[in-house]
C-alpha cells in the first residue's frame, strides 16, 4: 500500500515585507510580485527545496543603479513559472539580459539568475535551493 502526499501549494504575494524576509534586495523596488513554490520530484530533490520567482519593478534611475552593480552572466535558468507570469513578461524574457543573482541570495536560496527585461527597469529574479 502506498500513500501519496500532496505537494505543498505555491505561495504568492505582492508585499515587499514578506519578500524581504526571503531574499536580499540590494535596492528597494517600487512594486513586486512573487511566487515561492516547491520544486523537485519524488525520490529526487527533497521536500524543502524551493524556487522563488519575483518580478521587481523599479523607477528608471533605481533600475539603472541596480543594473550597474550586477555582473553579467552567460548562465541562464529555465524559468518554470507554472503559467504564473503574464505572457508579455514570458515573451520579454526571451530577450532579457542575464546577471548573477548573488546580491539577492539569502538563507537557502543560493542559486539563480536575475534577468533585466529589454528596455525597462523590470527585473525577473529566479532563485532556488537544492
Amino acid at each position: 500500500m502506498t500513500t501519496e502526499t500532496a505537494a505543498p501549494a505555491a505561495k504568492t504575494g505582492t508585499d515587499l515585507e514578506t519578500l524581504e524576509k526571503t531574499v536580499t534586495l540590494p535596492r528597494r523596488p517600487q512594486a513586486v510580485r512573487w511566487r515561492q513554490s516547491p520544486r523537485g520530484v519524488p525520490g529526487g530533490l527533497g521536500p524543502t527545496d524551493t524556487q522563488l520567482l519575483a518580478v521587481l519593478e523599479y523607477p528608471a534611475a533605481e533600475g539603472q543603479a541596480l543594473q550597474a552593480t550586477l555582473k553579467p552572466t552567460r548562465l541562464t535558468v529555465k524559468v518554470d513559472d507554472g503559467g504564473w507570469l503574464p505572457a508579455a513578461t514570458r515573451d520579454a524574457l526571451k530577450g532579457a539580459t542575464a546577471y548573477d543573482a548573488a546580491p539577492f541570495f539569502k538563507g537557502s536560496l543560493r542559486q539563480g539568475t536575475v534577468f533585466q527585461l529589454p528596455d525597462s527597469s523590470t527585473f525577473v529574479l529566479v532563485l532556488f535551493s537544492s
Side-chain angles (χ1 to χ4, degrees):
M1 182 159 104
T2 61
T3 305
E4 276 192 37
T5 305
K11 298 176 188 173
T12 61
T14 56
D15 57 307
L16 186 57
E17 295 74 24
T18 300
L19 183 61
E20 286 178 313
K21 291 176 185 174
T22 308
V23 302
T24 300
L25 294 173
R27 295 200 168 264
R28 248 178 114 80
Q30 67 184 6
V32 299
R33 291 184 315 280
W34 55 266
R35 178 180 193 256
Q36 189 166 12
S37 57
R39 65 188 288 259
V41 293
L45 295 169
T48 60
D49 295 314
T50 60
Q51 173 179 290
L52 178 101
L53 182 61
V55 179
L56 312 170
E57 297 177 21
Y58 292 91
E62 286 294 302
Q64 289 172 356
L66 174 62
Q67 183 272 333
T69 66
L70 298 174
K71 295 179 183 171
T73 181
R74 292 177 152 201
L75 299 176
T76 58
V77 174
K78 181 179 184 289
V79 179
D80 180 9
D81 69 325
W84 178 75
L85 287 171
T89 302
R90 222 175 293 121
D91 288 343
L93 275 169
K94 294 173 187 169
T97 304
Y99 297 95
D100 180 8
F104 295 89
F105 292 172
K106 189 173 190 175
S108 65
L109 296 171
R110 298 260 171 213
Q111 297 181 53
T113 307
V114 61
F115 300 94
Q116 183 177 14
L117 300 184
D119 303 315
S120 77
S121 293
T122 299
F123 294 79
V124 176
L125 177 64
V126 182
L127 295 179
F128 51 93
S129 65
S130 62

